[in-house]
Amino acid sequence: DLSDKEEESENIIYKKAVDDLSRAGFDSKSESMKPIIKQIFYAANGTGDVLILGETGTGKTTLAKLIHQISSRSSNIFKDFSCGSFSPDLIESELFGHVKGAFTGALTDKKGILDLIGDGTLFLDELAELSVEKQRQLLYVFGRLKKYHPVGTPEKEKIIKARIIAATLKIPTEDNVRKDLFERFQYVITLPPLRERRDDIPIFVSRIMHNYLIKHNRDVSINEGALNVLYGQPWLGNLHQLNRVLEKAADAVILEGKDEIH
């Protein structure tokens, strides 16, 4: 039966995806993550560019690094570029570089990020923080042209070798986001908020406590009662909020001379 063979094939792919992601440090027991695990697996093993959507604190940067880590580009550079951290006038200079005298303040030649990372992965975080016009420019360069030139040298075209992973918390249908910019990504992954993947809370708690041990050289555990309290919270700040809450609680029990969050 064709449907049975398709289901068997899907199960094999899912198992391989779980195994590969687990080896890379990504685990999940949540039902809401099952289809996403396969999407991550396909994106990591593919060659096309990736868009990650999700609320603040859902782990978009962590996922971008994971995709790079599993991909064939893992031995190359991963560069995180926050689009919201630069003025519109400096975006092109940072990404593409510039030559001396290209604009006021350009006292020397400067290589752009795309030059520096070569065949690596460029992670464009907060993509929708850019103006519509700047999004249009990026669409043309990354999506259609596949080439760029340092600011001040339009005659010196360079081929884009890097893979692009972008992330935003804004939905592509909003007026301030160019829909065609998002449609150029071959892989689109939406990370659910923590409140929709509560079964993964113990995994995150274990990871946060392990990081706390490494950072502070103090081994702090959490009892079942405290864990149950975590299950019931809305977690509007997602993983960032969970991390802050647990670190604060761990600091408090250490001050009490204890080693268990209760």
Side-chain angles (χ1 to χ4, degrees):
D1 185 87
L2 186 59
S3 61
D4 289 340
K5 289 181 179 179
E6 288 177 347
E7 184 176 354
E8 182 182 355
S9 176
E10 286 295 311
N11 289 336
I12 291 172
I13 292 172
Y14 177 72
K15 186 179 185 307
K16 179 167 176 51
V18 169
D19 290 344
D20 281 9
L21 296 185
S22 181
R23 281 194 295 271
F26 181 93
D27 294 295
S28 176
K29 297 183 182 300
S30 172
E31 284 292 320
S32 67
M33 287 298 293
K34 281 188 174 181
I36 296 167
I37 284 173
K38 283 200 293 186
Q39 291 176 351
I40 296 170
F41 176 75
Y42 283 128
N45 288 279
T47 58
D49 294 337
V50 185
L51 174 65
I52 304 172
L53 301 172
E55 295 178 6
T56 298
T58 48
K60 296 187 291 294
T61 300
T62 300
L63 178 54
K65 290 177 180 177
L66 176 74
I67 291 172
H68 172 76
Q69 181 184 341
I70 299 174
S71 77
S72 60
R73 298 174 183 260
S74 60
S75 61
N76 298 320
I77 297 172
F78 175 92
K79 178 63 178 177
D80 182 349
F81 182 83
S82 176
C83 296
S85 299
F86 295 90
S87 68
D89 293 337
L90 288 178
I91 293 288
E92 291 181 29
S93 172
E94 290 294 324
L95 291 176
F96 310 140
H98 65 250
V99 295
K100 180 180 178 180
F103 51 86
T104 303
L107 303 179
T108 61
D109 291 356
K110 176 185 176 180
K111 283 191 172 184
I113 289 173
L114 287 173
D115 284 309
L116 297 174
I117 66 174
D119 294 320
T121 300
L122 174 62
F123 176 50
L124 296 173
D125 197 10
E126 302 178 352
L127 185 62
E129 292 301 310
L130 299 176
S131 66
V132 171
E133 176 59 25
K134 192 59 66 176
Q135 289 181 47
R136 186 195 65 77
Q137 291 174 3
L138 286 185
L139 170 65
Y140 181 71
V141 173
F142 290 130
R144 297 175 190 168
L145 191 62
K146 299 289 187 183
K147 295 178 181 178
Y148 67 99
H149 60 81
V151 177
T153 58
E155 72 283 357
K156 291 185 179 179
E157 283 193 336
K158 299 183 178 184
I159 297 172
I160 294 176
K161 298 179 181 179
R163 187 185 196 190
I164 308 300
I165 301 179
T168 181
L169 55 81
K170 293 180 179 174
I171 301 169
T173 53
E174 293 181 6
D175 291 339
N176 61 340
V177 180
R178 280 189 65 88
K179 191 175 180 182
D180 52 356
L181 177 62
F182 291 89
E183 287 175 344
R184 68 157 297 276
F185 291 93
Q186 288 89 334
Y187 302 96
V188 179
I189 301 170
T190 301
L191 280 175
L194 185 55
R195 59 187 173 274
E196 293 178 12
R197 50 183 303 198
R198 296 182 190 276
D199 289 342
D200 288 337
I201 287 178
I203 295 174
F204 294 129
V205 169
S206 176
R207 187 178 304 156
I208 292 168
M209 291 295 93
H210 177 69
N211 290 338
Y212 189 89
L213 169 62
I214 293 173
K215 185 177 179 180
H216 301 287
N217 199 29
R218 293 296 298 265
D219 192 4
V220 179
S221 61
I222 181 169
N223 68 21
E224 188 174 347
L227 192 59
N228 287 334
V229 171
L230 296 181
Y231 277 117
Q233 302 306 306
W235 300 119
L236 299 181
N238 295 295
L239 300 180
H240 288 177
Q241 183 184 8
L242 178 63
N243 191 81
R244 290 195 301 270
V245 167
L246 286 175
E247 286 203 351
K248 184 178 180 180
D251 288 345
V253 299
I254 286 174
L255 286 174
E256 294 172 5
K258 300 175 183 178
D259 58 7
E260 182 183 70
I261 299 172
H262 51 278

